[in-house]
Amino acid sequence: MIIRDSDGNIAVSTGCANAPVFDDTGSGFSAFDPRDGTLVYNSGSAEYTLTDTVGARLTFHDFGSGLPVLKRGALKSYTDPDGNVSTFSYNTDGTPSEVQRSDTIGG
């Protein structure tokens, strides 16, 4: 899950004390610590994508008012560096309902 503060900065809730934080620069996001990877917002698909330093990608729903409150900032998909994708589905109230995983075989 990602959390946005009133200034537009984004924190990635990882369950660790040192959650990655990204400063909203007005034209994108800048990591407070470069080892946290990069964060990009795609307004066309209404999602944030965090790419870590080993190539894994976490895609999150944005904070649009058309989404249930519990789904705002929630994890949409995870792609590991080998291309395996886990996709997260949610009920209409925004609570998690399902995780589907695809495996890349042979590359």
Side-chain angles (χ1 to χ4, degrees):
M1 171 164 271
I2 56 174
I3 302 161
R4 182 179 61 188
D5 70 13
S6 61
D7 293 325
N9 301 318
I10 300 286
V12 182
S13 177
T14 61
C16 299
N18 298 324
V21 178
F22 296 86
D23 183 36
D24 183 354
T25 65
S27 61
F29 293 92
S30 175
F32 286 175
D33 182 340
R35 296 173 294 184
D36 291 335
T38 59
L39 182 70
V40 176
Y41 179 66
N42 182 328
S43 60
S45 56
E47 62 190 22
Y48 292 86
T49 300
L50 169 64
T51 304
D52 70 16
T53 56
V54 296
R57 290 187 319 271
L58 293 97
T59 303
F60 301 90
H61 292 279
D62 74 356
F63 298 94
S65 60
L67 292 173
V69 172
L70 294 175
K71 193 173 178 181
R72 297 177 193 172
L75 187 60
K76 190 173 187 179
S77 66
Y78 170 76
T79 306
D80 71 23
D82 294 323
N84 301 306
V85 180
S86 297
T87 304
F88 300 80
S89 299
Y90 297 86
N91 296 312
T92 55
D93 65 355
T95 56
S97 63
E98 182 179 49
V99 177
Q100 291 186 351
R101 185 168 191 266
S102 67
D103 292 323
T104 302
I105 299 173

